[in-house]
Amino acid sequence: MTTPVVSIAYHSGYGHTAVLAEAVRAGAAEAGAEVHLIKVDEITDEQWATLDASDAIVFGSPTYMGTASGAFHVFAEASSKRWFGQDWKDKLAAGFTNSGSKSGDKLHTLQFFQILAAQHGMHWVNLGLHPGWNNSAGSQHDLNRLGVFAGAAAQTNVDEGPEAVHKADIATAKHLGHRVARTAKIFRQGQVAA
């Protein structure tokens, strides 16, 4: 069986989301995937081709004003060329985001990613974790400390830099990368068997 290819298509305005992208990359690589980090605001024709050849695409963006960043929206609109040819149909998709507030409407960003994936005919991979930090024995150091199911969500204070991205949120993003890579392996095995 060949190694699954996972690409992380992300935008990071101030570096916080880039920290999460690296964690997703590390998790996917640890699970045996070939992984590509693609900054959507600098995307090249070669990187579009990499996305086309990927088994899974993980979308990432900060949440600004209740949705993905403008740069990510430009990328999403440009992906319509792939939509016409159904180039991403039956690939896997997942997502991650960061905002300054505990909620910050991050769920809306993840839902935007889910709809984008659905329009492309992709299969969404959720986080697959119970919520953390929701009982008296829990703590802010739990995986999925913000209790989001659709993807990896992080919160970083608006007056702090990328070095302040919470370690539990980094670990949650790494978990997502690992889960996507494992799911991509299973999908590849199923395609070979079919």
Side-chain angles (χ1 to χ4, degrees), residues 10-181:
Y10 75 99
H11 173 247
S12 185
Y14 299 97
H16 306 86
T17 309
V19 170
L20 298 175
E22 174 53 34
V24 173
R25 185 210 62 75
E30 188 177 274
E34 173 187 329
V35 190
H36 302 275
L37 285 172
I38 297 173
K39 296 179 181 180
V40 299
D41 54 333
E42 301 174 2
I43 194 166
T44 64
D45 289 341
E46 181 180 84
Q47 290 172 323
W48 278 110
T50 298
L51 292 175
D52 296 343
S54 297
D55 297 294
I57 302 173
V58 184
F59 302 123
S61 170
T63 295
Y64 293 155
M65 303 307 292
T67 188
S69 66
F72 193 92
H73 275 268
V74 169
F75 161 77
E77 187 173 326
S79 77
S80 65
K81 292 176 182 172
R82 271 67 190 167
W83 176 81
F84 281 108
Q86 297 193 314
D87 298 340
W88 294 355
K89 186 176 181 179
D90 292 327
K91 293 183 185 301
L92 300 178
F96 61 94
T97 188
N98 179 80
S99 73
S101 299
K102 294 290 189 280
S103 169
D105 294 317
K106 287 185 273 288
L107 178 59
H108 185 262
T109 298
L110 293 170
Q111 289 172 330
F112 170 73
F113 294 156
Q114 287 176 316
I115 292 168
L116 175 64
Q119 288 181 332
H120 281 287
M122 302 170 82
H123 303 285
W124 189 259
V125 179
N126 59 48
L127 190 56
L129 287 173
H130 284 290
W133 200 21
N134 68 350
N135 60 57
S136 60
S139 83
Q140 65 173 317
H141 304 293
D142 293 342
L143 285 178
N144 196 19
R145 71 184 181 111
L146 300 177
V148 176
F149 295 94
Q155 179 274 330
T156 310
N157 294 331
V158 297
D159 59 347
E160 294 184 294
E163 70 284 349
V165 176
H166 200 286
K167 286 181 177 31
D169 296 342
I170 293 170
T172 301
K174 185 175 180 181
H175 167 85
L176 178 66
H178 198 273
R179 180 169 166 83
V180 168

